[in-house]
Amino acid sequence: MGSDPKERQEDLQKLISSFRAAVDPESHGIRKRRRKNQCSQSDMAYLLNITAQTYAGFENGVREPSDELLLDFARVCGLNKAQEDALWNAVRRHPLPPRYAPMAGMQVSDDYRDLVLGDDRNMAYLTDAVWNLLACNDLWAGLFRDGPPQNVMRWMVLSDEARGGDDFPHPVLTRWDEEWAPYVLGRLGSTYNALGDRIDSLSQLVRDVRADERAGPIFANAYRTPRSEGGQSGLRQPIHPDGDQRPLRHPLWGDGFVRMCSMEPQGSPLACYMVVKFSKTYRKGRTLLTAEGPLPRA
């Protein structure tokens, strides 16, 4: 890629258009009447579920694409790893962020289940990389009217029990729109960017969230940075949950706040061992342990 902005834009346009031209539209269900069976800009926009104007701005290098659009484009074009890296470097000027083997986080050692079940002081649960519930203790199970959900993320972002509705005027996740949705939907977005459409249940969850009138707009805007002076934009890293406090209404304990402490099980990327500490009052500040301080006593 050239260093001159105009030359760089022209090189970017040639790269993206070459990837598009290599796509067989009929393999995606688009019948072409012309003798030249080539994927047009409008065809690609249709396959990406965006407007032709948005796609043209992306291919012409005049509109900064989201991470999601870049990954979707690479998937539709069937790009290999080297081609993905070339695309990402051309657009972002840095390598493609690390992604994970699709099944790596779907299996977790049963030692973590034992930790969850052995915790009798705090709510605790264990999920795989796409938030399927693998284990939970009785304290956490007590949050739910009809028992723990099969998928924790789906419950948090789409369930009326979690976020409120006609049958749940007093939701579990208090102030869902302000305090919970931006964080959990940001986590969903970053995980989908990492895994793409390689796990069906995750893909279906993302489709359902996008179609949801309440969660969809928040998901579309969650943790998206404004353009910088250099024109770059993208998804921010979600705030790490350790020590975060959010309001929660426990059906047995009443209104309070929870602090969430998470751990990624070794060898299971994106899986989560979560401890949820409940308090009736908001805890100001936090205590950080250092090697220079006294050791805590049991």
Side-chain angles (χ1 to χ4, degrees), residues 25 40 55 75 103 109 146 159 161 186 255 267 294:
S40 67
Y55 179 79
R75 173 180 53 80
M103 300 308 293
S109 168
D146 299 320
S159 167
E161 181 181 31
D255 291 327

Side-chain angles (χ1 to χ4, degrees), residues 1 7-25 36-45 48 55-62 70 73-74 76-77 79 83 86-87 90-91:
M1 287 281 172
E7 181 181 350
R8 181 173 176 270
Q9 182 175 337
E10 292 174 352
D11 289 342
L12 176 61
Q13 184 176 2
K14 290 177 182 178
L15 180 68
I16 296 175
S17 62
S18 69
F19 289 149
R20 169 179 56 80
V23 174
D24 178 6
K36 191 175 183 180
N37 190 29
Q38 191 176 82
C39 186
S40 67
Q41 285 194 359
S42 59
D43 293 335
M44 183 58 69
L48 295 173
Y55 179 79
F58 160 55
E59 182 170 311
N60 296 334
V62 297
L70 283 175
F73 177 78
V76 170
C77 293
L79 302 186
Q83 291 170 324
L87 173 66
V91 177

Side-chain angles (χ1 to χ4, degrees), residues 39-98:
C39 186
S40 67
Q41 285 194 359
S42 59
D43 293 335
M44 183 58 69
Y46 171 76
L47 294 174
L48 295 173
N49 195 29
I50 59 177
T51 66
Q53 182 179 8
T54 297
Y55 179 79
F58 160 55
E59 182 170 311
N60 296 334
V62 297
R63 176 172 295 185
E64 184 73 20
S66 65
D67 288 1
E68 182 181 351
L69 175 55
L70 283 175
L71 291 169
D72 283 348
F73 177 78
R75 173 180 53 80
V76 170
C77 293
L79 302 186
N80 59 35
K81 182 63 168 63
Q83 291 170 324
E84 282 187 332
D85 287 340
L87 173 66
W88 208 272
N89 274 303
V91 177
R92 292 282 189 261
R93 299 194 190 184
H94 63 73
L96 177 70

